[in-house]
């Protein structure tokens, strides 16, 4: 029998979830071990939140299995988990301190201490403070009982860069203390902070591994021209996967011959370069 300590803290094995004729998640597998941060990536509607809800036991899988700490995601293992949903899970008509006291009691412990950074807001209604502060409260609630694993569904969405950086400091600190972290994000800078990535598209896992694994051999053609708006329009009209960073046009997963033909008479220099993580993700999603 395998040592329980070697089991993943969070696991999905060929998990599928259907709603009538619609398949939201199909044959999805992932694992999160102690001390690692795993990024779950994909466009809106890719199936990320549905998979998370199955992992939490909020939705039963139609097929396949999910597990928390080596067993079914029932009440007992969920008590060892910290969770920040997209909606944050706060009560707007309770104060910051009351929210943390309630969560602490729900986990069977004492009231969660209000962090020093939130002390000036302890008596304020949670619904009356800014989104960045609300997310800090949600993190404090998720971390307050010393969870062994964290599930974070777009935890930094809509907050300023400094607040995002501080929240990611908390994520890394939890992982350094041994917690396994599963986090969804749309920010590529955040994805690059993860130890491993799992990319979903159309309800399926289409790639997994490190950033280098996701990028693989995907290349892009960098197009340098003063007529960059015309170049972008021409490449896009030709059906090439075209990305724009400032005034820099890039055609992903295309050959120089395809790009030159699409540009027609537009004077431009071309260079084959390695794809970025975002470009590789778009290429994989398009191929799925």
């Amino acid at each position: 029998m395998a040592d329980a300590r070697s089991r993943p803290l969070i696991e999905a094995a060929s998990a599928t979830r259907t709603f009538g004729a619609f398949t939201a998640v199909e044959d999805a597998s992932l694992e999160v071990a102690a001390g690692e941060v795993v990024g779950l990536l994909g466009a809106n509607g890719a199936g990320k939140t549905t998979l998370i809800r199955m992992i939490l036991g909020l939705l039963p899988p139609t097929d396949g299995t999910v597990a928390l700490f080596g067993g079914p995601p029932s009440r007992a293992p969920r008590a060892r988990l910290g969770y920040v949903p997209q909606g944050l899970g706060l009560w707007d008509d309770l104060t910051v301190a009351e929210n943390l006291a309630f969560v602490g009691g729900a986990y069977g412990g004492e009231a969660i201490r209000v962090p020093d950074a939130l002390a000036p807001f302890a008596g304020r209604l949670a619904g009356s403070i800014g989104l960045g502060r609300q997310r800090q409260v949600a993190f404090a609630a998720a971390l307050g009982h010393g969870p062994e694993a964290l599930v974070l569904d777009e935890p930094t969405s809509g907050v300023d860069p400094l607040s995002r950086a501080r929240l990611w400091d908390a994520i890394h600190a939890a992982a350094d203390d041994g917690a396994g972290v599963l986090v969804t994000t749309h920010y590529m800078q955040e994805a690059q902070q993860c130890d491993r990535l799992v990319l979903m598209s159309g309800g399926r896992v289409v790639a997994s591994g490190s950033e280098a694994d996701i990028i693989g051999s995907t290349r892009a053609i960098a197009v340098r021209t003063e007529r960059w708006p015309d170049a972008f329009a021409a490449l896009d009209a030709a059906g090439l996967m075209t990305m724009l960073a400032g005034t820099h046009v890039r055609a992903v997963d295309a050959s120089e011959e395809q790009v030159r033909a699409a540009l027609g008479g537009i004077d431009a220099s071309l260079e084959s370069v390695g794809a970025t993580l975002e470009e590789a993700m778009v290429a994989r999603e398009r191929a799925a």
Side-chain angles (χ1 to χ4, degrees):
M1 180 180 296
D3 188 336
R5 291 172 297 180
S6 68
R7 295 174 179 166
L9 304 183
I10 297 171
E11 184 177 13
S14 300
T16 295
R17 175 66 197 198
T18 60
F19 298 92
F22 174 67
T23 301
V25 174
E26 182 177 3
D27 196 31
S29 298
L30 63 78
E31 295 181 353
V32 181
E36 72 170 346
V37 181
V38 176
L40 183 58
L41 311 180
N44 290 333
K48 304 186 301 298
T49 297
T50 300
L51 179 57
I52 283 176
R53 289 174 65 82
M54 286 194 286
I55 288 170
L56 295 174
L58 302 177
L59 282 174
T62 307
D63 198 5
T65 61
V66 293
L68 287 177
F69 309 106
S74 58
R75 182 172 183 174
R78 280 199 297 263
R80 301 162 61 187
L81 185 78
Y83 175 44
V84 177
Q86 287 185 13
L88 300 183
L90 302 177
W91 288 265
D92 289 347
D93 54 353
L94 295 182
T95 67
V96 168
E98 288 169 342
N99 267 280
L100 295 180
F102 178 84
V103 172
Y107 279 103
E110 299 179 355
I112 297 171
R113 187 183 71 84
V114 178
D116 292 342
L118 293 170
F121 308 92
R124 296 265 301 273
L125 296 179
S128 71
I129 62 177
L131 179 59
R133 297 295 184 187
Q134 290 179 8
R135 292 200 177 278
Q136 286 180 290
V137 177
F139 262 72
L143 293 167
H145 62 293
E148 298 168 54
L150 288 171
V151 175
L152 311 173
D153 197 359
E154 297 187 23
T156 65
S157 178
V159 302
D160 63 89
L162 181 58
S163 295
R164 287 208 307 270
R166 287 171 174 164
L167 293 175
W168 269 89
D169 283 344
I171 291 172
H172 288 302
D176 289 343
D177 288 339
V181 183
L182 177 64
V183 56
T184 72
T185 180
H186 287 295
Y187 298 105
M188 291 303 100
Q189 300 93 330
E190 294 184 0
Q192 291 171 327
Q193 296 192 54
C194 298
D195 299 306
R196 289 190 297 109
L197 301 171
V198 177
L199 176 61
M200 294 189 70
S201 178
R204 298 181 63 89
V205 172
V206 296
S208 62
S210 66
E211 178 182 356
D213 292 331
I214 300 295
I215 293 174
S217 60
T218 307
R219 306 283 294 176
I221 302 298
V223 180
R224 296 179 177 84
T225 175
E226 294 183 358
R227 295 176 56 190
W228 61 268
D230 296 331
F232 181 90
L235 295 173
D236 186 56
L240 299 181
M241 194 184 313
T242 311
M243 308 289 284
L244 187 65
T247 60
H248 296 107
V249 180
R250 294 162 66 95
V252 183
D253 211 17
S255 68
E256 290 192 22
E257 291 76 14
Q258 289 174 305
V259 172
R260 187 66 71 188
L263 290 174
I266 299 174
D267 184 34
S269 64
L270 307 182
E271 180 185 4
S272 177
V273 296
T276 65
L277 176 59
E278 181 178 13
E279 290 168 346
M281 285 174 53
V282 172
R284 286 183 176 269
E285 289 175 346
R286 186 167 175 174

